[in-house]
Amino acid sequence: MAEAAQSELSPRTIAQDDLQKIHVHEALVAAHGISGLTLSVYVFMAKVFVVGHVDTHEQIESVLKTARQVAGVRSADGYLPLKDGQASDATVGGLTSDATMKAHIISALAVTPGVVNSRIHVEVLDGHVVLLGVVSGQEEQFKAGRAAVVEGVKDVTNWLLLPESRYMSIRRKVL
């Protein structure tokens, strides 16, 4: 409830995106050759983002093609690196684990002035950070991207979107 109050998107848009996410997830589970993958699906303003490891380059294309074919999807993009047999979520040789990095990034976002961290989702794969969500403006988008660069981060993909006027709430913003 508090997150919805801070969001600039209308409750209807958020509900439509949640339903779209279910449809995309169902399509990915039903698709031949990609159903066994562990993928995270995010939908904002009918734009789909898929994050997770894949086994082959063909699976990348299949995941994106499947997501784009779901009715109502405006676009689909993904951060889908090939699985690295040596990758691990544990701390190895002084390297920070993905889970630890994610926790540090979430903490950094929480204390960054001008960033509403409840609107930002963080994924970390092999030290690569993916930021997803809808923010109020370019300044918040930039600040969140900077805050995500914590120890161990190799790179940041900033997929934080600015709200589009037709997706904005017509109610007054909660200050």
Side-chain angles (χ1 to χ4, degrees):
M1 182 99 159
E3 185 174 333
Q6 293 176 348
S7 175
E8 294 184 15
L9 295 178
S10 71
R12 180 182 172 137
T13 298
I14 293 169
Q16 289 171 338
D17 286 346
D18 287 344
L19 183 59
Q20 194 77 42
K21 178 180 173 178
I22 292 168
H23 291 308
V24 171
H25 180 73
E26 289 172 341
L28 292 171
V29 168
H32 178 70
I34 58 175
S35 62
L37 299 174
T38 302
L39 303 170
S40 297
V41 177
Y42 296 89
V43 180
F44 306 101
M45 299 179 296
K47 297 177 181 183
V48 175
F49 300 92
V50 185
V51 180
H53 286 105
V54 295
D55 297 317
T56 66
H57 291 285
E58 292 77 21
Q59 286 178 330
I60 296 169
E61 294 304 316
S62 183
V63 165
L64 296 176
K65 181 179 177 184
T66 300
R68 288 179 184 128
Q69 290 176 338
V70 173
V73 169
R74 295 172 58 207
S75 65
D77 208 340
Y79 179 71
L80 301 163
L82 296 178
K83 288 181 185 174
D84 180 1
Q86 300 171 353
S88 170
D89 197 41
T91 301
V92 177
L95 299 175
T96 307
S97 74
D98 288 349
T100 301
M101 262 189 269
K102 182 175 179 174
H104 288 191
I105 293 165
I106 291 170
S107 295
L109 290 169
V111 298
T112 301
V115 173
V116 180
N117 64 325
S118 64
R119 294 190 299 225
I120 300 173
H121 302 272
V122 178
E123 290 281 343
V124 182
L125 293 173
D126 306 327
H128 184 99
V129 177
V130 181
L131 299 176
L132 304 118
V134 180
V135 294
S136 60
Q138 289 179 332
E139 185 176 346
E140 184 178 10
Q141 185 182 46
F142 176 75
K143 286 179 178 183
R146 268 199 347 225
V149 181
V150 299
E151 183 179 344
V153 169
K154 296 176 185 174
D155 195 19
V156 176
T157 297
N158 191 334
W159 279 334
L160 295 173
L161 303 174
L162 304 180
E164 297 173 8
S165 60
R166 71 182 199 161
Y167 290 95
M168 295 292 287
S169 172
I170 56 173
R171 62 179 164 66
R172 284 180 25 157
K173 294 179 190 176
V174 176
L175 300 176

